[in-house]
């Protein structure tokens, strides 16, 4: 997945579809940009050979956690929302509105 100067690559042993992997890589890209700030993209555009390993040090746990979460969360996989438990009275009021 190419996002500006960043290229993200994914290999799956689980039989994930192409779209599932692209969706996960999009989330990983957003997480990386969030951790490093959007300024890293400008740096990489100006210096394509810039080695990001030093500034990414320590982010492995966060990115790996995100990847595990993407593969294990059913609602995320179907791009759905987890239902919110509501008391019956509130549910009735919402459905009557």
């Amino acid at each position: 997945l190419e996002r500006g100067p960043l290229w993200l690559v994914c290999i799956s042993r689980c039989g994930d579809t192409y779209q599932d992997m692209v969706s996960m890589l999009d989330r990983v890209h957003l997480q990386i940009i969030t951790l490093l700030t959007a300024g890293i993209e400008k740096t990489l555009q100006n210096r394509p050979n810039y080695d990001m390993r030093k500034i990414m040090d320590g982010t492995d746990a966060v990115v790996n956690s995100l990847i595990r979460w993407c593969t294990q969360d059913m609602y995320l996989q179907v791009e759905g929302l987890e239902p919110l438990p509501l008391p019956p009275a509130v549910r009735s009021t919402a459905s009557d509105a």
Side-chain angles (χ1 to χ4, degrees):
L1 178 69
E2 184 179 351
R3 290 288 182 257
L6 294 174
W7 288 37
L8 293 99
V9 178
C10 178
I11 298 172
S12 172
R13 293 183 292 176
C14 303
D16 295 316
T17 66
Y18 173 77
Q19 189 57 41
D20 289 342
M21 291 193 297
V22 167
S23 178
M24 183 175 57
L25 288 176
D26 275 331
R27 288 182 177 95
V28 169
H29 173 258
L30 290 173
Q31 184 68 51
I32 290 171
I33 295 304
T34 300
L35 290 170
L36 302 179
T37 75
I40 192 62
E41 290 196 51
K42 186 174 181 180
T43 300
L44 289 172
Q45 287 172 344
N46 294 336
R47 296 174 45 200
N49 62 341
Y50 183 78
D51 188 355
M52 289 181 37
R53 287 180 290 186
K54 286 184 182 179
I55 61 173
M56 297 262 324
D57 191 32
T59 62
D60 292 356
V62 174
V63 173
N64 287 337
S65 177
L66 174 67
I67 291 169
R68 273 193 307 281
W69 181 59
C70 285
T71 59
Q72 295 173 354
D73 190 317
M74 179 187 73
Y75 297 111
L76 187 62
Q77 290 176 6
V78 296
E79 295 185 7
L81 300 173
E82 188 171 355
L84 177 65
L86 295 174
V90 175
R91 198 170 35 245
S92 293
T93 303
S95 64
D96 291 343

